[in-house]
Amino acid sequence: MSSEHPADGTRDIVSPAASPAGPPLGNPAGNPAGNRSGTPAGESPDSPFRHENESRDSAPQYVLPLVVRIERAEPPLRTDALETAARAVLEILGDERSTGDGEWARAVRDWQDARIRKVVRRARGAEWRKACTLPGITVTGKAAEVRVFPPVPLDGWPRELARLQVSGTDLDDPAPPAPAGPGEPVLWMSPEVEMSAGKAMAQAGHGAQLAWWELSGEQRAAWRAAGYPLAVRTADPARWRALTGGGLPVVRDAGFTEIAPGSCTVVADHPDLPASRRRTA
């Protein structure tokens, strides 16, 4: 899946343990899960909505804006921010406003008909409060806060978001995160590609979206009802080689920023995916 990180109605989402089961889940465009687990380098997969085998680049291009709150005194940990960004992408995909005749449905559909670009910007203080007045969903992790907004045309950013900074979004983990829990969906980050926190947040969002596309409506509903639990971890080199060749969804970056085109950045491992079940049987 080629991708780029350049990352009225408001609903706040908290950590999975406390997240209520939201409104009924829709299956965008009524499409069944298919083989969208990434493609060979240099090839573009079809949109989950597109019925003709045409390039995503021929469609109007949209971007999914995400804003991470980074206060100078208390920035979030890197892994917490990555996991929260991934859950934010899932929240907007599963929101009733993004499906059927919902107010965001057309924008979400047009975005997924093209490249699933995501831009992560950062905000603090008054900038964050102003961003939160725009339609969107705020997702809270352990401490990280990420707000996701409906997709916009590449040159159609709201003024309140366009002025926010993209570069310099860098975060750290003071210690390696604990292993993912049994049966927990994991977005495995590449051990071979160095990325800023903002870039990695967008890539984690891509991985979550690829897993979502592969799941049935019932499986999506169950994931949503649980609050979209997931973990983001960096694979060791041996595991990474097995993951990228194991039939799971793989994110391949388009190479617009930071890394080389075609780089594999994330493998999405959800226990309901057929390839995951084969590995654990």
Side-chain angles (χ1 to χ4, degrees):
M1 177 69 59
S2 295
S3 54
E4 177 189 2
H5 160 75
D8 197 56
T10 297
R11 185 161 64 89
D12 291 344
I13 307 299
V14 296
S15 60
S19 177
L25 174 71
N27 185 359
N31 284 292
N35 181 14
R36 305 183 190 98
S37 56
T39 56
E43 296 184 13
S44 294
D46 294 336
S47 161
F49 307 132
R50 190 174 295 280
H51 298 294
E52 299 176 2
N53 187 19
E54 59 180 287
S55 169
R56 288 178 179 270
D57 294 322
S58 67
Q61 298 297 309
Y62 287 75
V63 62
L64 186 76
L66 297 105
V67 175
V68 56
R69 183 179 185 181
I70 302 181
E71 301 290 346
R72 286 180 175 171
E74 295 182 285
L77 299 183
R78 181 184 176 100
T79 296
D80 188 17
L82 267 60
E83 292 173 347
T84 306
R87 288 180 49 238
V89 171
L90 294 169
E91 287 289 353
I92 200 164
L93 289 172
D95 194 282
E96 62 182 357
R97 291 166 289 183
S98 299
T99 63
D101 295 325
E103 61 191 281
W104 300 340
R106 179 62 182 270
V108 170
R109 181 188 178 98
D110 288 346
W111 168 59
Q112 292 191 98
D113 267 348
R115 291 180 179 269
I116 52 170
R117 289 172 163 146
K118 300 174 181 69
V119 174
V120 177
R121 297 178 183 264
R122 69 180 190 273
R124 66 174 184 269
E127 293 175 332
W128 172 257
R129 292 190 293 273
K130 189 173 294 185
C132 287
T133 65
L134 299 178
I137 302 170
T138 297
V139 180
T140 302
K142 296 179 178 69
E145 292 180 78
V146 175
R147 188 165 180 83
V148 61
F149 304 86
V152 297
L154 286 180
D155 58 355
W157 280 75
R159 183 176 65 255
E160 295 88 344
L161 303 183
R163 64 182 58 176
L164 300 177
Q165 294 294 313
V166 178
S167 61
T169 305
D170 220 350
L171 303 168
D172 295 307
D173 286 318
E184 187 173 24
V186 181
L187 303 174
W188 293 103
M189 307 297 293
S190 170
E192 302 169 351
V193 180
E194 293 289 333
M195 294 181 282
S196 68
K199 176 78 172 181
M201 289 171 69
Q203 299 298 306
H206 294 334
Q209 187 167 359
L210 294 191
W212 172 266
W213 282 351
E214 293 278 358
L215 298 176
S216 69
E218 182 179 353
Q219 291 165 338
R220 292 176 183 180
W223 200 7
R224 178 177 184 172
Y228 298 117
L230 58 82
V232 175
R233 299 291 184 268
T234 299
D236 63 55
R239 169 173 269 178
W240 181 248
R241 287 190 294 272
L243 287 167
T244 54
L248 292 166
V250 178
V251 176
R252 299 175 188 273
D253 193 71
F256 292 105
T257 61
E258 293 195 25
I259 60 179
S263 298
C264 296
T265 57
V266 181
V267 173
D269 190 0
H270 189 289
D272 286 332
L273 296 176
S276 181
R277 292 199 297 268
R278 286 196 301 271
R279 291 191 306 109
T280 56

Coordinates of all heavy atoms in Angstrom, one line a residue, residues 180-186 188 239 242-243 246 248 268-281:
A180 N 3.4 -7.0 23.9 CA 1.9 -6.9 23.7 C 1.3 -8.1 24.4 O 1.8 -9.1 24.6 CB 1.6 -7.0 22.2
G181 N 0.0 -7.8 24.8 CA -0.7 -8.9 25.5 C -1.2 -10.0 24.6 O -1.2 -9.8 23.4
P182 N -1.5 -11.2 25.1 CA -1.9 -12.3 24.3 C -3.2 -11.9 23.5 O -4.1 -11.4 24.1 CB -2.3 -13.4 25.4 CG -1.5 -13.0 26.6 CD -1.5 -11.5 26.6
G183 N -3.1 -12.2 22.2 CA -4.3 -12.0 21.4 C -4.5 -10.5 21.0 O -5.5 -10.2 20.4
E184 N -3.6 -9.7 21.4 CA -3.7 -8.2 21.1 C -3.3 -7.9 19.7 O -2.2 -8.4 19.3 CB -2.9 -7.4 22.1 CG -3.2 -5.9 22.0 CD -2.5 -5.2 23.1 OE1 -1.5 -5.7 23.7 OE2 -2.9 -4.0 23.5
P185 N -4.1 -7.2 18.9 CA -3.6 -6.8 17.6 C -2.3 -6.0 17.7 O -2.1 -5.1 18.6 CB -4.7 -5.9 17.1 CG -5.9 -6.4 17.8 CD -5.4 -6.7 19.2
V186 N -1.3 -6.2 16.9 CA 0.0 -5.6 16.9 C 0.3 -5.0 15.6 O 0.2 -5.6 14.5 CB 1.1 -6.5 17.4 CG1 2.4 -5.8 17.4 CG2 0.8 -7.2 18.7
W188 N 3.4 -4.0 13.8 CA 4.9 -4.1 13.9 C 5.6 -3.1 13.0 O 5.4 -3.1 11.8 CB 5.2 -5.6 13.4 CG 4.7 -6.6 14.3 CD1 3.7 -7.5 14.1 CD2 5.3 -7.0 15.6 NE1 3.5 -8.3 15.2 CE2 4.5 -8.1 16.1 CE3 6.4 -6.5 16.4 CZ2 4.8 -8.7 17.4 CZ3 6.6 -7.1 17.6 CH2 5.8 -8.2 18.1
R239 N 12.2 -11.6 13.2 CA 10.7 -11.6 13.1 C 10.2 -10.7 12.0 O 9.3 -11.1 11.3 CB 10.2 -11.1 14.4 CG 8.7 -10.8 14.4 CD 8.1 -10.5 15.8 NE 7.6 -11.7 16.4 CZ 7.1 -11.7 17.7 NH1 7.1 -10.6 18.4 NH2 6.7 -12.8 18.2
A242 N 10.1 -12.6 8.7 CA 9.0 -13.5 8.7 C 7.7 -12.8 8.5 O 6.8 -13.3 7.8 CB 9.0 -14.4 10.0
L243 N 7.5 -11.7 9.2 CA 6.3 -10.9 9.1 C 6.0 -10.4 7.7 O 4.9 -10.5 7.2 CB 6.3 -9.7 10.1 CG 6.2 -10.1 11.6 CD1 6.5 -8.9 12.4 CD2 4.7 -10.5 11.9
G246 N 4.8 -13.2 5.4 CA 3.8 -14.1 6.0 C 2.4 -13.9 5.5 O 1.5 -14.5 6.1
L248 N 0.5 -11.2 5.8 CA -0.2 -10.1 6.6 C -0.2 -8.8 5.8 O 0.7 -8.6 4.9 CB 0.5 -10.0 7.9 CG 0.3 -11.1 8.9 CD1 1.3 -11.0 10.1 CD2 -1.1 -11.2 9.4
A268 N 0.7 -5.3 9.8 CA -0.5 -5.3 10.7 C -0.8 -6.8 11.0 O -1.1 -7.6 10.1 CB -1.7 -4.6 10.0
D269 N -0.8 -7.1 12.3 CA -1.0 -8.5 12.8 C -2.2 -8.5 13.7 O -2.1 -8.1 14.9 CB 0.2 -9.0 13.5 CG 0.2 -10.5 13.8 OD1 -0.9 -11.1 13.4 OD2 1.1 -11.0 14.3
H270 N -3.4 -8.8 13.2 CA -4.6 -8.9 13.9 C -5.0 -10.3 14.1 O -4.9 -11.1 13.1 CB -5.7 -8.1 13.2 CG -6.9 -7.9 14.0 ND1 -7.8 -8.9 14.3 CD2 -7.5 -6.8 14.6 CE1 -8.8 -8.5 15.1 NE2 -8.7 -7.2 15.3
P271 N -5.4 -10.8 15.3 CA -5.7 -12.2 15.5 C -6.8 -12.7 14.6 O -6.8 -14.0 14.4 CB -6.0 -12.3 16.9 CG -6.4 -10.9 17.4 CD -5.6 -10.0 16.5
D272 N -7.6 -11.9 14.0 CA -8.7 -12.4 13.1 C -8.3 -12.5 11.7 O -9.1 -12.9 10.9 CB -9.9 -11.4 13.3 CG -10.7 -11.7 14.5 OD1 -10.6 -12.8 15.1 OD2 -11.3 -10.7 15.0
L273 N -7.1 -12.0 11.4 CA -6.6 -12.1 10.0 C -6.2 -13.6 9.7 O -5.6 -14.2 10.5 CB -5.4 -11.2 9.7 CG -5.7 -9.7 9.8 CD1 -4.4 -8.9 9.7 CD2 -6.8 -9.3 8.8
P274 N -6.6 -14.1 8.5 CA -6.3 -15.5 8.2 C -4.8 -15.9 8.4 O -4.4 -16.9 8.9 CB -6.7 -15.7 6.8 CG -7.8 -14.6 6.6 CD -7.4 -13.5 7.5
A275 N -3.9 -15.0 7.9 CA -2.5 -15.3 8.0 C -2.0 -15.3 9.5 O -1.2 -16.1 9.9 CB -1.6 -14.2 7.3
S276 N -2.6 -14.5 10.4 CA -2.3 -14.6 11.8 C -2.8 -15.9 12.4 O -2.1 -16.5 13.2 CB -2.9 -13.4 12.5 OG -2.6 -13.3 13.9
R277 N -4.0 -16.3 12.0 CA -4.5 -17.5 12.6 C -3.7 -18.7 12.2 O -3.4 -19.7 13.0 CB -6.0 -17.7 12.2 CG -6.9 -16.7 12.8 CD -8.4 -17.2 12.7 NE -8.8 -17.4 11.3 CZ -9.4 -16.4 10.6 NH1 -9.6 -15.2 11.1 NH2 -9.8 -16.6 9.4
R278 N -3.2 -18.7 10.9 CA -2.3 -19.8 10.5 C -1.0 -19.9 11.3 O -0.5 -21.0 11.6 CB -2.0 -19.7 9.0 CG -3.2 -19.9 8.1 CD -2.7 -20.1 6.6 NE -2.0 -19.0 6.1 CZ -2.6 -18.0 5.5 NH1 -3.9 -18.0 5.3 NH2 -1.9 -17.0 5.0
R279 N -0.5 -18.7 11.6 CA 0.8 -18.7 12.4 C 0.6 -19.2 13.8 O 1.6 -19.7 14.4 CB 1.4 -17.3 12.4 CG 1.9 -16.9 11.0 CD 2.7 -15.6 11.1 NE 2.0 -14.5 11.7 CZ 2.3 -14.0 12.9 NH1 3.3 -14.6 13.6 NH2 1.6 -13.1 13.5
T280 N -0.6 -19.0 14.4 CA -0.8 -19.4 15.8 C -1.5 -20.7 15.9 O -1.7 -21.2 17.1 CB -1.6 -18.3 16.5 OG1 -2.9 -18.1 15.8 CG2 -0.8 -17.0 16.5
A281 N -1.9 -21.4 14.8 CA -2.6 -22.6 14.9 C -1.7 -23.7 15.4 O -0.5 -23.7 15.2 CB -3.2 -23.0 13.6

